[in-house]
Amino acid sequence: MSEERLVIRRSGFPSKGEIVIGTVTRVMDFGAFVSLDEYEGREGLVHISEVAPGWIKDIRDHVKKGQKVVCKVLDVNPKRGHIDLSIKDVNERQRREKLQEWKSEQRAFKWLEIAGEKVGVDGKELEKIGKKLLRKFDSIYAAFEEVAYEGYEVIAKIAGEELAKEIAELAREHIKPSTVSVRGYFELKSFAPDGIERIKKALSVVKKYHSDGAEIEVEYVGAPKYRIVIRTEDYKAAETLLKRVIDDVTKAMKKLGGEANFVREAI
């Protein structure tokens, strides 16, 4: 792992109207150049007229090299590589929310780095994985939030199972969702004349768990699949409950002369 801190940046250009965060790299009499922290190799210009409301005598009274600024994207010209920015068009609420969002994202970069170190994934590979997570979830922090709520399966195809499980551990440690969920589907078959009724009877055993402080949904997907979604306040409790539900429904279905198989669903 490189000693340089891991930062995952987006490819391409920001969108017009987007609120972005950046670092002032040069201050000229006519404006300030800002390196966009979230975008790979992108720099924009804040014209002096967009630095602050009213007439500006000296731009250096308002912005300095190395300063972190929150800007609104006024215009983008990908062919010429130009990005026009405004500082004055960002209100205090937008500025505060963007700064908080960026702080959360930096924490997520660190968590991803720690997870990579634990399972032996190097910085270059982490960056590739991070870019894929960005494309799917829009931010690395949002990916961690999703994992905290839904379990490691949500990113297993992108990160690989080993890294995904490590990320899930960190996500559950640092992000406390109000509820978490686990899910999968049963494949239930009965060749008896009243097969549908037998399947319903086997699935009805989940009703006894509703009083355990968990929310359980049973949804017909299409023969022979029936999805089960369990939501609780604790991930381990959800996993334990899912195991009990799998065991009970499987036993009930076999007792009724049918077949049962459970498949954990990747979200």
Side-chain angles (χ1 to χ4, degrees), residues 245-256:
V245 168
I246 293 170
D247 290 343
D248 284 0
V249 172
T250 300
K251 286 177 185 176
M253 195 66 233
K254 288 182 178 178
K255 192 174 180 180
L256 291 163

Side-chain angles (χ1 to χ4, degrees), residues 33-161:
F33 288 92
V34 176
S35 174
L36 302 187
D37 292 351
E38 301 158 285
Y39 286 86
E40 201 170 71
R42 299 301 172 199
E43 187 176 66
L45 172 66
V46 182
H47 188 267
I48 188 171
S49 63
E50 293 296 334
V51 170
W55 181 72
I56 296 175
K57 182 179 180 180
D58 188 348
I59 188 175
R60 290 166 184 83
D61 291 336
H62 299 271
V63 288
K64 294 177 173 59
K65 184 178 179 181
Q67 181 181 341
K68 195 72 67 180
V69 290
V70 176
C71 306
K72 182 177 181 179
V73 179
L74 297 179
D75 199 18
V76 179
N77 188 328
K79 288 184 179 180
R80 300 179 67 184
H82 290 182
I83 303 169
D84 295 327
L85 304 169
S86 173
I87 294 174
K88 75 175 186 180
D89 281 2
V90 178
N91 63 41
E92 183 56 31
R93 179 186 58 80
Q94 290 171 320
R95 191 185 74 83
R96 190 169 57 248
E97 288 179 354
K98 189 64 184 181
L99 286 170
Q100 183 56 53
E101 180 186 303
W102 182 238
K103 285 178 183 176
S104 296
E105 192 71 343
Q106 288 178 303
R107 289 202 301 273
F109 295 156
K110 185 61 181 175
W111 299 337
L112 183 59
E113 197 170 25
I114 291 169
E117 286 175 348
K118 286 187 176 180
V119 298
V121 178
D122 65 29
K124 287 186 178 179
E125 185 60 27
L126 278 181
E127 192 173 347
K128 290 179 185 177
I129 291 168
K131 285 182 179 294
K132 290 178 182 178
L133 292 175
L134 267 185
R135 285 196 290 271
K136 181 170 183 178
F137 299 99
D138 199 44
S139 77
I140 302 301
Y141 187 82
F144 272 84
E145 280 189 313
E146 191 74 9
V147 171
Y149 277 85
E150 305 289 354
Y152 77 90
E153 295 88 353
V154 74
I155 61 166
K157 288 183 179 179
I158 294 174
E161 192 163 308

Side-chain angles (χ1 to χ4, degrees), residues 145 148-150 176-181 213 215 230-235:
E145 280 189 313
Y149 277 85
E150 305 289 354
K176 304 298 181 186
S178 55
T179 61
V180 296
S181 69
E215 178 187 340
I230 296 175
R231 295 185 179 89
T232 67
E233 294 181 357
D234 178 77
Y235 185 80

